[in-house]
Amino acid sequence: MAIEPEAYRQQSLETWGDMAAGWESRREWLMQITAPVNDWLVQNADPQPGQTLLEIAAGTGDLGFRLAERVGEAGRVISTDFAPEMVDVARRNGNARGLANVEYRALDAERLDLEDESVDGVVCRWGYMLMADPAAALKQSRRVLRSGGPLCFAVWRTPDVNPWAAVPAVTLVQRGHMPPPEPGAPGMFAMGDGNRTVELVRAGGFDEPKLEEITFAFKYSDDDDFWDAIVRLAGPLARAINALPEQERRDTRAAIIDNIAPFRNDDGSFTMPASTWGVVAR
Ligand SMILES: C[S@@+](CC[C@H](N)C(=O)[O-])C[C@H]1O[C@@H](n2cnc3c(N)ncnc32)[C@H](O)[C@@H]1O
């Protein structure tokens, strides 16, 4: 790996801490659009009353809350994220729903501070591909899972089927604001190749995983809405944009909006395809 893992972890922690307010502000929009992914993960995790389930890289916590409703009062969900600011967002969100069976913890998925074989299932949406060492994180997930319990997670497929993120990323690289992605380095598309994802899951100690493609579309009402979503949600892309001087930031925005023109509808809104792997392993 060309990155220095500890430096990457520190930068990633800062980036996602900075993103927490944006994720809180666009939470309802995001959860509505991405509902097919959470539906798939909940269905495959198949939570049962009384179980203890772990959510990794939970962000606003919404996936875990679906599980909390299913495991009931006798069960428990441990909602975790390495960014304390994200854990605070999840806690506020869970408390507003009156959920009493959720425990919130700031935990790094690569070094889980949890007992061996202490949970009945693990879920993670769009987390593992961002980690410096996804195989280490998957080993940790395996370690805390009771025998036979499911690991269900989502990772983005390749850039060609995810223009909503690929077009801004390519534009930022072309303008010299981000380095081109290194093969094998962590990032949004680091587990887009299904074969690599299978290898990583097996290296984590799981049996042959099942991979399924889940597609949906991001919808943005206009240019401002698209831009707002990128700068509030898109982790490393947002970090690069937010660091630009004012004029270059405006020019970069204009270039990105030009490049997404093929996805513009007659009313000025945008519909941009998205595709993710749903993965289940035991
Ligand atoms: C793209 S967001 C996804 C949030 C949420 N799972 C969702 O799908 O709505 C990625 C999340 O992964 C978290 N994350 C990244 N690396 C992590 C790590 N090593 N351990 C735990 N959480 C991590 C970030 O803090 C962030 O909340």
Side-chain angles (χ1 to χ4, degrees), residues 84-185:
E85 297 90 338
M86 281 291 191
V87 178
D88 289 344
V89 172
R91 188 182 292 105
R92 276 197 290 280
N93 187 10
N95 287 347
R97 293 155 188 253
L99 288 169
N101 60 348
V102 182
E103 182 188 324
Y104 303 91
R105 291 186 63 186
L107 288 184
D108 186 335
E110 293 182 70
R111 351 166 158 187
L112 283 177
D113 179 17
L114 292 170
E115 296 287 313
D116 293 358
E117 301 185 23
S118 54
V119 304
D120 300 297
V122 174
V123 296
C124 179
R125 189 175 82 153
W126 300 322
Y128 288 116
M129 74 277 167
L130 301 172
M131 296 175 193
D133 187 349
L138 287 157
K139 277 186 193 143
Q140 287 287 300
S141 300
R142 174 68 272 170
R143 180 181 66 74
V144 302
L145 258 175
R146 293 190 183 113
S147 173
L151 165 71
C152 296
F153 69 91
V155 284
W156 293 111
R157 293 184 67 233
T158 44
D160 52 312
V161 285
N162 284 295
W164 62 276
V167 172
V170 167
T171 312
L172 285 165
V173 171
Q174 282 168 348
R175 296 179 75 86
H177 302 320
M178 277 190 6
E182 296 267 354

Side-chain angles (χ1 to χ4, degrees), residues 229-260:
I230 291 296
V231 298
R232 285 181 192 266
L233 304 178
L237 304 188
R239 185 187 175 97
I241 291 168
N242 292 333
L244 295 176
E246 192 50 41
Q247 186 57 50
E248 179 53 23
R249 191 178 146 98
R250 273 201 290 273
D251 293 349
T252 298
R253 170 183 157 137
I256 291 175
I257 298 290
D258 265 0
N259 290 343
I260 61 167

Side-chain angles (χ1 to χ4, degrees), residues 3 13 15 24 34 53 55 58 67 95 112 167 226 235 250 256 258 260-261 275:
I3 61 152
L13 184 62
T15 299
E24 187 164 27
T34 59
L53 300 177
E55 182 173 14
L67 306 177
N95 287 347
L112 283 177
V167 172
F226 177 80
R250 273 201 290 273
I256 291 175
D258 265 0
I260 61 167
S275 179

Side-chain angles (χ1 to χ4, degrees), residues 5-55:
E6 268 322 310
Y8 171 81
R9 286 187 185 103
Q10 193 49 42
Q11 190 182 71
S12 181
L13 184 62
E14 280 170 25
T15 299
W16 289 105
D18 289 350
M19 289 289 103
W23 279 66
E24 187 164 27
S25 71
R26 291 197 68 114
R27 188 186 68 73
E28 281 181 30
W29 172 85
L30 184 66
M31 291 309 146
Q32 197 236 324
I33 284 182
T34 59
V37 184
N38 278 358
D39 290 348
W40 191 96
L41 292 166
V42 172
Q43 192 190 339
N44 281 277
D46 192 24
Q48 300 298 316
Q51 286 186 331
T52 297
L53 300 177
L54 169 66
E55 182 173 14

Side-chain angles (χ1 to χ4, degrees), residues 36-37 40-41 153-154 157 212-216 274-279:
V37 184
W40 191 96
L41 292 166
F153 69 91
R157 293 184 67 233
E212 206 173 295
E213 181 186 348
I214 308 165
T215 57
F216 59 99
S275 179
T276 189
W277 291 120
V279 184

